[in-house]
Amino acid sequence: MSKWDKLLAKILSLSNDLRFDELRKVLESYGYRMDAPRGGSSHYTFRKAGGYPITIPKHEPIKKVYVRMVKELIESEEKNDEND
């Protein structure tokens, strides 16, 4: 199993020990662009044309609610790829 597959499996299992950079890597691979926060905030927003923005705070470990959001995004992206 490759590192990428292990990372996706970690997200899909809603692991509690994910790092911000791991989620960023996955989101960017699906075409999301990261916008840096302004005014000292720790919340980063990921945007993609035609997609909903996702805001994730840069705290470690990442809370399960944010991992669940990325999991749902991965599942919807995979479903879209199957339909194309």
Side-chain angles (χ1 to χ4, degrees), residues 6-58:
K6 287 180 184 177
L7 178 57
L8 289 179
K10 218 169 144 179
I11 291 171
L12 295 175
S13 70
L14 299 175
S15 176
N16 287 332
D17 64 342
L18 283 162
R19 295 187 329 256
F20 178 83
D21 289 334
E22 292 172 325
L23 290 184
R24 184 178 118 208
K25 182 178 182 180
V26 170
L27 288 169
E28 287 177 344
S29 75
Y30 283 105
Y32 281 77
R33 174 180 52 85
M34 183 176 78
D35 291 334
R38 294 189 180 114
S41 176
S42 63
H43 289 65
Y44 289 77
T45 302
F46 294 87
R47 300 178 192 282
K48 178 180 179 179
Y52 292 106
I54 297 174
T55 302
I56 300 175
K58 190 173 184 178

Side-chain angles (χ1 to χ4, degrees), residues 68-80:
R68 186 174 288 123
M69 288 173 20
V70 174
K71 176 187 176 194
E72 291 171 4
L73 174 124
I74 291 170
E75 290 170 343
S76 70
E77 291 284 340
E78 288 177 356
K79 188 181 282 188
N80 289 339

